[in-house]
Amino acid sequence: MTSVTDRQKLQYIAAQAADARVNVELETEGMTLNLGPQHPATHGTLRIIAQLDGEQVVHAEPVAGYMHRGYEKLTEVRTYPQITTLINRIDWLGSFANEVPFILAAEQLMEVEAPERAMWIRTILFELSRISNLILFLGDMGVQLGAVTPVFFAFRDREFVLDQIEAATGGRFHPNFDRIGGLRDDLPKGWLESTKGSMDKVRDFCDQIEDLLLGSEIFQTRTRGIGIVPTDVAMQYGLSGPNARASGIDWDVRRDNCIGLAYPELDWKVWTHTDGDSFARFWVRIQEVREAAKMVDQLCDGLPAGPVMAKVPRIIKVPAGEAYVATENPLGEMGYYIVSEGDLTPFRVKIRSASFSNMSITPWLLRGVYVPDIITILGSLYFILGDIDR
Amino acid sequence: MGLGLVESGKMPKSLIKLLNVSRSYSVWVYQWGLACCAIEMGAAFGAPRYDVMRLGVIPLPASPRQADLVVISGTVTDKMAPVIRRLWEQMPDPKYVISMGSCANCGGPYWDSYSVTKGVDQIIPVDVYVPGCPPRPEALLEGIVILQDRIKNEDPSKRWVGEPIVVE
């Protein structure tokens, strides 16, 4: 873990004093700017009410709830196999990643263990959904800065990954492929080779984005030193995933608290950045896509043989008890706390989704920034509204 | 060509046909992306593989006041419903609505949720429903083609109801 740099401290103090300072220096009239609830930069329907003083934000308040669909209540009236259909749609860009922690928690309660091959295929699909999620972020970050071309590249190369997910599971977006005790099906013939081919395309895309955006002077001016989250603040707000790693927190659930999945057997690296600004968040994610592509290659090479489904009863009743399992989703740490009373449906499910904590830092982070930087900061924090509101 | 002539219904038939063909191949569509379907809509409208512009549809108007068609894609919640109604009121006549995905059609997987509006047609009239959860981009393109066929064969005077644009 790294210490806070002097620049970060200065930014912190400046942000704290912004409202008082601006008012004393210049008598400007306040203005309220309403962003959303439908705005391209918010990745959905987040509304931000910003109090401005000139070009600077004095106070910004996020209004969530425009996409609240009542997940936690709905899970109480659905059986366990039906719930995976629902929770696919929490973070709609990386759907398969939402199923895995829930299934792992249910398996823990039922004391069922999925076969090794099923765990490896789960890990492959998990990483594919991470790639399909983060690729769109990498393209979209260009749009936040006024460069439209990267998002076309992102959509183009994302289709190759979606083709692989569709070939294996039958669904482009919402696979609903995970079952308690394993997977619905085995992989189709020739899938592993074509997946490795699509990973080459993903790596090419990362190189292209690096050439297009990361090295661009405009991009660096707009992102370096903007929206700095110091390490201690990131921990206080409960940031997780790439946002936390961009602030220098060396924590990854895949490496540090891996349950079931095949990550310990792979050769990969957790990337961190010490700056904590928008640029760092972008940089960490681009490295993460590369690592994911590397992991998928290794998983395809070493996939063990065997069955993909353990023996489970036809009608799934989960014995009474409580379990919490978290995994490292594309957006951060996502976990399900299941309380079961031995019925067909859970008694209570608490969903810990990454975006909610990541979004909660926006009032602190947007204080004192300029209006155009709101968009880049929101874009680089990268939340998905389904994941916030549930 | 004054709009008064169209509204009165006294236009010659050949002119109506010309007007309809021109309208059907210059639909400006406003993207109202709400949930998962928004990404498939983005893939249909903004991606190279399914390129909607070859159908004569322009997906990037800056405001609903410039749009002919709005695609409501995704889950409509009760909190969002008044906003959608206001969006529809801001669009100029003639206006069309495509409801994309099961959630916007009827509530979809959230049919028993306390916070989801079961169907956007409770708030605004819908011309074409695109089923699926989420529909593939091809399905949305087919919905647009169906709408274009309808525009070609309709009586435009019925579409100019002359409701004023509501600005509060």
Side-chain angles (χ1 to χ4, degrees), chain A residues 130-200:
Chain A
R130 183 188 313 281
I131 292 170
S132 78
N133 187 323
L134 290 182
I135 276 187
L136 204 60
F137 162 79
L138 296 177
D140 220 34
M141 191 66 193
V143 177
Q144 327 283 2
L145 299 161
V148 188
T149 317
V151 80
F152 294 130
F153 286 180
F155 269 117
R156 183 194 65 193
D157 290 339
R158 192 167 171 269
E159 291 290 335
F160 299 120
V161 181
L162 290 183
D163 281 347
Q164 295 309 312
I165 296 177
E166 189 185 359
T169 67
R172 263 164 70 85
F173 254 59
H174 301 312
N176 194 17
F177 194 58
D178 225 349
R179 299 284 186 270
I180 292 173
L183 296 169
R184 196 186 65 198
D185 276 323
D186 209 335
L187 295 173
K189 199 181 166 192
W191 191 82
L192 295 173
E193 286 74 37
S194 54
T195 305
K196 282 162 92 176
S198 71
M199 287 306 108
D200 290 338

Side-chain angles (χ1 to χ4, degrees), chain A residues 1-61:
Chain A
M1 202 165 290
T2 51
S3 60
V4 185
T5 61
D6 285 347
R7 196 175 54 165
Q8 286 172 338
K9 270 184 198 155
L10 278 176
Q11 171 86 11
Y12 184 90
I13 295 160
Q16 294 287 331
D19 36 348
R21 177 168 51 90
V22 175
N23 277 331
V24 171
E25 282 172 6
L26 285 167
E27 283 292 323
T28 50
E29 208 174 309
M31 182 191 156
T32 308
L33 179 72
N34 184 36
L35 271 172
Q38 229 282 343
H39 191 276
T42 57
H43 298 276
T45 51
L46 181 68
R47 180 177 173 203
I48 292 197
I49 302 167
Q51 308 280 345
L52 304 184
D53 193 338
E55 269 280 283
Q56 269 183 316
V57 178
V58 176
H59 177 73
E61 194 190 338

